[in-house]
Amino acid sequence: DAGVTQSPTHLIKTRGQQVTLRCSPKSGHDTVSWYQQALGQGPQFIFQYYEEEERQRGNFPDRFSGHQFPNYSSELNVNALLLGDSALYLCASSPNKAPTYNEQFFGPGTRLTVL
Amino acid sequence: AQKITQTQPGMFVQEKEAVTLDCTYDTSDPSYGLFWYKQPSSGEMIFLIYQGSYDQQNATEGRYSLNFQKARKSANLVISASQLGDSAMYFCAMRAVFFGNEKLTFGTGTRLTIIP
């Protein structure tokens, strides 16, 4: 049973460019969340996708957008990259059924460097 | 708003000893869950243990136990018989329990180093 997978592993971009990160959830999971983890910090919640819609959003600008596909996989898009967007981007998946509040699994992350 | 505080930036522990990682939290949500994750240098967040705010018993998972003191708003992680492979960053996190909420709020983490 494959866990949460993310691609690519590493990415280097320059300021002003756009980037797309991808995530495939764990089998049986239909909800995907994205987090940004800056160096030396805990992860910060970006947004959550369920049924191909953004259901929750953290305190991130509109430059951060996402998409969820019918097979539950998801993309995170960041436009007009800034140096401060350099971070580890983590995807987490969970099943949308109560009361499995303890079931949220993370992928290995994509490390984005903006030069 | 939710807040997680981890006051130990780093800890060094002798192999085979027990270690306690501190976590305090603040929330106005009536129902919530507390999580501990381990993050090795590879970056993946590995789920360790979960405690619901209304659970009567403290959670245990193998060598991990969660010392939950609701009145003190603390949720400390206890690792018994530490191993070299336990060296990693450890994050405490919480989530309000209501349908559709997936947002985890994390602390700043504790770097645990196990000494042979």
Side-chain angles (χ1 to χ4, degrees):
Chain A
D1 177 23
V4 181
T5 60
Q6 292 186 244
S7 64
T9 308
H10 295 87
L11 205 50
I12 299 175
K13 293 285 188 178
T14 56
R15 280 179 297 173
Q17 285 190 311
Q18 179 262 346
V19 69
T20 298
L21 312 181
R22 295 176 176 82
C23 170
S24 290
K26 181 178 165 64
S27 177
H29 288 186
D30 55 7
T31 303
V32 173
S33 300
W34 287 91
Y35 291 81
Q36 179 196 66
Q37 186 178 18
L39 199 62
Q41 301 294 318
Q44 299 287 319
F45 177 78
I46 303 175
F47 44 51
Q48 175 211 152
Y49 273 83
Y50 171 67
E51 290 190 341
E52 303 179 47
E53 297 283 336
E54 182 184 292
R55 186 162 67 172
Q56 277 182 301
R57 190 178 182 92
N59 190 26
F60 278 80
D62 292 345
R63 298 186 299 109
F64 290 78
S65 63
H67 189 77
Q68 186 179 33
F69 299 93
N71 67 351
Y72 309 123
S73 66
S74 176
E75 288 181 349
L76 164 65
N77 302 295
V78 187
N79 294 324
L81 285 166
L82 304 174
L83 295 179
D85 295 332
S86 295
L88 179 68
Y89 288 85
L90 294 163
C91 170
S93 74
S94 53
N96 187 57
K97 59 182 191 295
T100 53
Y101 300 113
N102 59 335
E103 193 169 330
Q104 188 171 72
F105 293 97
F106 283 79
T110 294
R111 192 165 297 278
L112 172 66
T113 302
V114 182
L115 301 176
Chain B
Q2 299 176 338
K3 185 177 173 62
I4 294 284
T5 302
Q6 294 181 255
T7 58
Q8 305 154 311
M11 288 189 70
F12 291 84
V13 173
Q14 205 75 35
E15 189 180 6
K16 298 182 184 176
E17 289 186 350
V19 56
T20 298
L21 304 181
D22 295 340
C23 172
T24 58
Y25 62 91
D26 192 25
T27 183
S28 56
D29 297 299
S31 181
Y32 51 89
L34 295 152
F35 300 73
W36 277 92
Y37 286 89
K38 171 184 178 182
Q39 188 176 43
S41 55
S42 59
E44 183 172 357
M45 300 289 280
I46 300 168
F47 168 76
L48 296 178
I49 196 166
Y50 170 84
Q51 177 84 43
S53 59
Y54 286 102
D55 291 343
Q56 296 298 314
Q57 307 248 358
N58 284 348
T60 60
E61 291 283 351
R63 294 187 299 113
Y64 305 107
S65 61
L66 200 152
N67 184 4
F68 180 49
Q69 298 188 43
K70 195 171 182 178
R72 292 187 173 187
K73 294 189 175 180
S74 75
N76 298 340
L77 176 70
V78 180
I79 305 174
S80 62
S82 58
Q83 302 170 356
L84 295 178
D86 293 334
S87 294
M89 282 292 291
Y90 288 80
F91 289 94
C92 180
M94 72 179 304
R95 185 167 85 194
V97 174
F98 58 86
F99 189 74
N101 181 43
E102 298 291 333
K103 178 184 175 182
L104 281 167
T105 299
F106 285 84
T108 52
T110 295
R111 180 171 297 281
L112 176 64
T113 303
I114 307 300
I115 305 165

